[in-house]
Amino acid sequence: MSHEIDIVFRLNGREERALVSPRLHLVDFLRARYQLASPRVGCEHGVCGACTLRVNGTIVRGCLFLAVQADGKEIETLEGVTASGELRDLQDAFVERNAAQCGFCTPGMLMTAAELMRDGKSHDRAAIRDHLSGNICRCTGYEAIVDAIKTVIEQRKGGSTS
């Protein structure tokens, strides 16, 4: 006997309704039901950051968040944030700085960086690295990612981009 729960939520700006299993993780639900590719399934323990998305404006690990918890909430994935144009400059900087080598960690890195940059402050490299510490990248060694984020922080503040 299936015991699914009816939920209503906003996904990337659109109201949605679905029946979900109480034990289904949000990342699995979004990938299977909506074919969203940006929240990735990595470690499934909340350690790698590949499944990072926003719930009510705060980043969460989609592998640790149950789909039933989305009821009444605003869910944003990189697809939605990209469509809004919020991260266009950061995405361009990732390309320019070669910060997205294999691309697996990139959506989580972008969502995490967006959270850091929301405060409008000028963060140094150490602060950027600290904020990204919950996201694992196996390709870049992080320098290109930090470079891209630092570049955009400085551009948004009207400073140099070195």
Side-chain angles (χ1 to χ4, degrees):
M1 172 187 238
S2 176
H3 203 275
E4 293 186 321
I5 298 169
D6 188 28
I7 63 170
V8 177
F9 59 100
R10 292 189 64 74
L11 175 60
N12 295 328
R14 289 190 2 225
E15 185 154 323
E16 300 288 345
R17 174 177 225 118
L19 289 174
V20 296
S21 166
R23 295 173 52 164
L24 180 63
H25 292 109
L26 184 58
V27 66
D28 295 321
F29 170 66
L30 295 175
R31 290 181 64 82
R33 171 84 181 245
Y34 298 98
Q35 290 76 49
L36 294 171
S38 74
R40 309 281 169 89
V41 179
C43 69
E44 299 185 72
H45 296 286
V47 176
C48 74
C51 62
T52 302
L53 47 85
R54 285 185 196 152
V55 175
N56 288 348
T58 301
I59 61 169
V60 301
R61 301 293 195 237
C63 72
L64 299 178
F65 199 92
L66 297 173
V68 296
Q69 292 174 284
D71 191 34
K73 305 230 176 10
E74 174 78 31
I75 310 299
E76 293 174 282
T77 65
L78 185 59
E79 288 87 353
V81 177
T82 296
S84 76
E86 176 185 341
L87 297 182
R88 171 57 51 211
D89 55 351
L90 185 59
Q91 290 168 312
D92 290 345
F94 264 58
V95 171
E96 290 167 12
R97 296 286 187 152
N98 198 26
Q101 290 179 11
C102 85
F104 190 82
C105 72
T106 304
M109 290 287 186
L110 289 166
M111 295 297 283
T112 302
E115 180 187 56
L116 175 70
M117 295 188 303
R118 278 183 156 183
D119 65 13
K121 296 179 182 175
S122 184
H123 298 280
D124 63 17
R125 296 179 69 79
I128 295 168
R129 289 183 76 84
D130 184 59
H131 195 77
L132 294 176
S133 66
N135 294 69
I136 296 173
C137 175
R138 295 188 174 144
C139 298
T140 68
Y142 301 94
E143 290 305 312
I145 294 168
V146 174
D147 289 345
I149 296 167
K150 183 67 173 160
T151 296
V152 173
I153 288 172
E154 294 306 316
Q155 286 173 344
R156 287 183 181 183
K157 292 197 69 60
S160 71
T161 59
S162 58

